Amino acid sequence: MRVEKLTTHIGAEVHGVNLAEAARNDDLFGALRAALLEHRVLFLRDQDFARADHVAFAERFGPLEDHPVAGSDPDHPGLVRIYKDENSPPDYYENAWHCDATWREVPPMGAVLRCITCPPVGGDTMWANMAKAYADLPDYVKQTIAPLKARHSIEATFGARMPEEKRHALKTQFPDAEHPVVRTHPETGEKILYVNGFTTHFTNFHTFENVRYGQDFAPGGANLLQYLIGRAAIPEYQVRWRWQPNSVAIWDNRSTQHYAVMDYAPTVRRMERAGIIGDRPY
Ligand code: SIN
């Protein structure tokens, strides 16, 4: 196995590894897991394995989960299909910088994504290092956000284009989750800036320092949240990956955000993602 860094702060390409074999080989899997913690996103080419191998490899990290909006492969629960084609709605948009499913109380720890069909041009995915984004914040911002918590909503995002009844049903099934604005990585102990495109507002911004009058809450909290969400867009924190059929990305969903670039419509792009259940952020 050879690991080649793609940028200083995030991302590495792994050569000489077959993930179907890594699913069965403890040493190889251990080496990949260590590399993932170090580089946050791993990329591999030419992973022409069966869907069962995809699931078996991802399950080495932990159990998989389906997605309430994007369906899974009927024969492989947990293998979510992210399929777009010429018939996808013309006003369909993706994406925002996000960590997967932070609207869950327990968001995924990571994911294994494989490209099945590439568009002729475009369709790259980008990832950002949110530990670096936190580390680079000015001290006064770190002090302000240290105690803050924020809400993350599927209703305000995936639900936003649904008819009202369907949106309410989605929210009943997945009520907004509340997470710390700065989470601690459960394996490395590093601090991570943990707000993203699913985050709607701070829940405990009302301190004497932050809010002297009721009207201070909306401008102060909203501006700070937008500033923090915008940090993922800084190119120095990012790596960008150009897909080919059977390319795979494995990411740590706790310390990164990602963005699938919608610059290929109206053509076919088919991706399959195994999302791995994580732990409650603290
Ligand atoms: C995702 O947002 O999890 C999927 C990324 C992609 O389709 O490139």
Side-chain angles (χ1 to χ4, degrees), residues 82 94-95 98 100 113 125 243 251 258 260 269 271 273:
I82 304 170
E94 59 181 287
N95 208 330
H98 68 286
D100 284 334
L113 180 71
T125 308
W243 295 100
W251 67 89
H258 55 281
R269 181 180 187 268
M271 313 292 285
R273 184 184 73 196

Side-chain angles (χ1 to χ4, degrees), residues 134 137-150 179-184 191-194 202 204-205 207 210 224 228 282:
Y134 173 78
L137 289 173
D139 285 343
Y140 75 92
V141 175
K142 286 183 181 163
Q143 277 164 23
T144 304
I145 66 175
L148 291 183
K149 295 194 162 188
H179 298 305
V181 169
V182 182
R183 78 172 287 185
T184 304
K191 290 191 170 182
I192 295 151
L193 181 58
Y194 201 60
F202 300 127
N204 61 343
F205 189 70
T207 61
N210 294 336
L224 178 59
L228 295 173
Y282 61 88

Side-chain angles (χ1 to χ4, degrees), residues 223-274:
N223 288 344
L224 178 59
L225 182 58
Q226 276 313 119
Y227 163 78
L228 295 173
I229 288 174
R231 306 314 280 170
I234 293 176
E236 283 77 3
Y237 302 157
Q238 298 171 1
V239 64
R240 182 170 180 140
W241 180 244
R242 162 107 348 149
W243 295 100
Q244 295 166 6
N246 291 323
S247 298
V248 168
I250 309 166
W251 67 89
D252 186 332
N253 194 54
R254 301 160 296 191
S255 67
T256 65
Q257 293 188 27
H258 55 281
Y259 187 114
V261 183
M262 184 54 164
D263 56 358
Y264 57 91
T267 58
V268 179
R269 181 180 187 268
R270 294 192 305 152
M271 313 292 285
E272 293 180 356
R273 184 184 73 196

